[in-house]
Amino acid sequence: MTPENEAAARYFSAITAALSGLEVFMRDDRSPLYRHGIVAKIVAEYIARLDKSFACWRNRLGFMDTFRISRAESGFPVFQNLLELENDRRQADARLANIPLAGELREEMADFILRHKEFPEALQKSMAERLYLEDVKSENTFGPFTLAQTAKVSVNPKTARPYYLVHWATFDGSANLPLVYMVTVEDSSEAMISQLVDSNGKLNEKVDIPLPVDGLLNPELAHRFDDFTEKNSAYTLSPATIAVNLDKDFEPLHPKQLRRVVLGPFYSAGITDNNSTVTEVLAKVRKPENAWLLTWTIQEVYSKAEKPGRKGLFSSEKTTQEFFVNTDDLEAARQGVSSYENHALIPHEAYQALYAAGEAQKIFAGYKVHILSNGQVISDV
């Protein structure tokens, strides 16, 4: 195995362990994030998509020599990898038609070994490509952009408007970071109110809503909403900016809360060099599969008040939201959020190494630390 392949194998082992641990954390009803309920469940679904992407990329290395990651910044793959994965998914059926079936390849490999007494590298590459293409055909990978879904529908008893919890995701090509978005938005469209709200101001139980629903639940706005989210999901845009844009661009939609989950940076010993102190200490961890650290940030902006609209003979104003940005907290003001949480997930062995080196307190200042140990996540350390 070449040094490059060894490094790739270490990276895939580390990132797979990190994502598996993060998914355990998100689905654990004892975790501090589980109080958000459906939020943790939604994020876990996108983590599973990421995990699927990494499984595909690992197979791809069996017949392709290169795989680039953002070593000095996010620690995640560069955007080009996602574009290639998406392109391969579209071409998968055509390419598979030109590769023998897995059973045939195994027979050829066994025959080659018996006849030539050496390893059949060409056949092994064909097998790796077939496994990769069969895997990548699934649409459950984390793509450059994942269209919105409506995950929850209810009615605000104060306004008698239906509201939706809608989520979508993107992989930011500049920062090389996976981003998950969730917005709670009220809908004042007359058609949706008459359809979804009963005479008691509650959700109409006679309407069957097979959740999750692809796209925004309001069919008249769904395509525009998809277009909006694709154009307004860049990491450089603050959550407050996105919320204001959404409020401004859609007359009947009233965003009450927007969350963004930023996955990363990811640190891996001997692979990433995005933090010299972390890299130096992680290099001392005995087991390479435990020499990693994954961080993520949950950002939130919410509406503190609604300014009523005004309809006049010559001009009118739409109802607008007043979003709260916490200017008393300099970091919250910089991020353009009402609040934020920094989280870190780290294997027990790696945490012990950082603690023994006297670096844990400095590195984890401002973070909620979660330790992965024997397949379980311990928080509040």
Side-chain angles (χ1 to χ4, degrees):
M1 186 180 282
T2 66
E4 291 81 6
N5 284 348
E6 284 182 10
R10 286 203 314 275
Y11 175 77
F12 280 113
S13 294
I15 193 75
T16 300
L19 292 175
S20 298
L22 184 54
E23 193 172 1
V24 167
F25 172 72
M26 292 294 175
R27 296 188 188 277
D28 188 349
D29 58 7
R30 294 167 299 174
S31 83
L33 195 65
Y34 202 80
R35 69 182 185 274
H36 296 305
I38 196 168
V39 173
K41 181 176 178 291
I42 289 168
V43 176
E45 289 170 5
Y46 286 111
I47 293 165
R49 282 175 171 268
L50 263 179
D51 204 29
K52 183 75 168 176
S53 292
F54 278 102
C56 291
W57 283 321
R58 190 192 284 245
N59 279 337
R60 194 171 188 268
L61 271 183
F63 62 95
M64 298 290 285
D65 294 330
T66 58
F67 183 80
R68 290 179 56 226
I69 66 168
S70 176
R71 294 181 59 183
E73 292 168 345
S74 73
F76 275 87
V78 298
F79 190 59
Q80 183 65 26
N81 290 299
L82 280 92
L83 295 178
E84 290 171 355
L85 203 66
E86 189 71 11
N87 187 54
D88 289 343
R89 185 176 66 79
R90 293 195 188 100
Q91 298 177 0
D93 285 328
R95 286 169 58 182
L96 281 167
N98 296 317
I99 302 173
L101 295 172
E104 294 173 14
L105 284 169
R106 289 191 188 95
E107 287 180 11
E108 285 186 51
M109 289 169 71
D111 182 60
F112 186 96
I113 292 169
L114 288 171
R115 283 190 295 109
H116 299 279
K117 302 293 187 289
E118 60 183 69
F119 190 77
E121 289 187 15
L123 290 169
Q124 176 67 21
K125 285 190 175 184
S126 293
M127 176 67 87
E129 186 172 4
R130 167 161 280 282
L131 293 173
Y132 165 75
L133 291 169
E134 286 176 348
D135 228 10
V136 86
K137 273 176 64 176
S138 159
E139 294 191 13
N140 293 325
T141 53
F142 197 105
F145 182 79
T146 304
L147 289 168
Q149 277 193 338
T150 299
K152 180 182 178 182
V153 183
S154 192
V155 174
N156 183 342
K158 293 181 180 178
T159 62
R161 297 173 185 157
Y163 70 84
Y164 324 126
L165 174 62
V166 188
H167 61 88
W168 67 96
T170 188
F171 192 96
D172 188 272
S174 298
N176 292 310
L177 288 168
L179 309 174
V180 177
Y181 286 92
M182 281 161 270
V183 65
T184 302
V185 59
E186 291 185 10
D187 190 343
S188 60
S189 306
E190 288 184 15
M192 298 306 291
I193 291 174
S194 63
Q195 185 180 357
L196 296 175
V197 184
D198 66 17
S199 57
N200 297 315
K202 295 182 178 179
L203 190 65
N204 187 350
E205 293 182 355
K206 294 178 182 177
V207 179
D208 181 32
I209 307 171
L211 296 171
V213 173
D214 287 341
L216 184 75
L217 191 64
N218 186 327
E220 292 184 5
L221 301 176
H223 288 301
R224 273 184 59 208
F225 188 84
D226 283 343
D227 188 53
F228 172 88
T229 53
E230 196 158 5
K231 292 176 180 174
N232 286 267
S233 295
Y235 183 54
T236 51
L237 295 175
S238 72
T241 299
I242 297 169
V244 167
N245 289 348
L246 178 58
D247 188 40
K248 181 179 67 177
D249 287 5
F250 292 85
E251 176 80 28
L253 296 184
H254 314 280
K256 297 298 180 179
Q257 181 190 54
L258 185 138
R259 277 196 184 96
R260 176 166 70 187
V261 180
V262 182
L263 294 172
F266 174 68
Y267 308 89
S268 178
I271 309 293
T272 62
D273 49 17
N274 35 13
N275 183 306
S276 57
T277 304
V278 173
T279 300
E280 190 178 315
V281 177
L282 288 181
K284 298 174 183 175
V285 174
R286 188 169 51 86
K287 293 182 180 178
E289 63 269 26
N290 290 334
W292 55 265
L293 164 64
L294 176 64
T295 63
W296 72 95
T297 302
I298 303 172
Q299 301 171 312
E300 178 189 338
V301 65
Y302 63 84
S303 170
K304 62 180 180 179
E306 184 172 283
K307 182 182 175 184
R310 178 178 60 83
K311 290 190 176 180
L313 192 59
F314 299 105
S315 66
S316 62
E317 293 178 2
K318 80 177 288 284
T319 300
T320 55
Q321 306 301 310
E322 294 180 24
F323 295 103
F324 172 63
V325 173
N326 187 2
T327 53
D328 291 334
D329 183 322
L330 291 177
E331 183 58 23
R334 185 191 69 79
Q335 293 183 28
V337 295
S338 309
S339 63
Y340 67 95
E341 295 177 2
N342 291 324
H343 292 262
L345 178 69
I346 186 170
H348 185 254
E349 185 184 353
Y351 182 80
Q352 281 186 316
L354 288 170
Y355 189 83
E359 299 289 352
Q361 191 170 356
K362 181 173 68 176
I363 287 168
F364 295 122
Y367 281 81
K368 296 183 178 182
V369 182
H370 316 285
I371 296 175
L372 183 63
S373 179
N374 297 322
Q376 293 187 319
V377 177
I378 305 161
S379 299
D380 302 321
V381 293

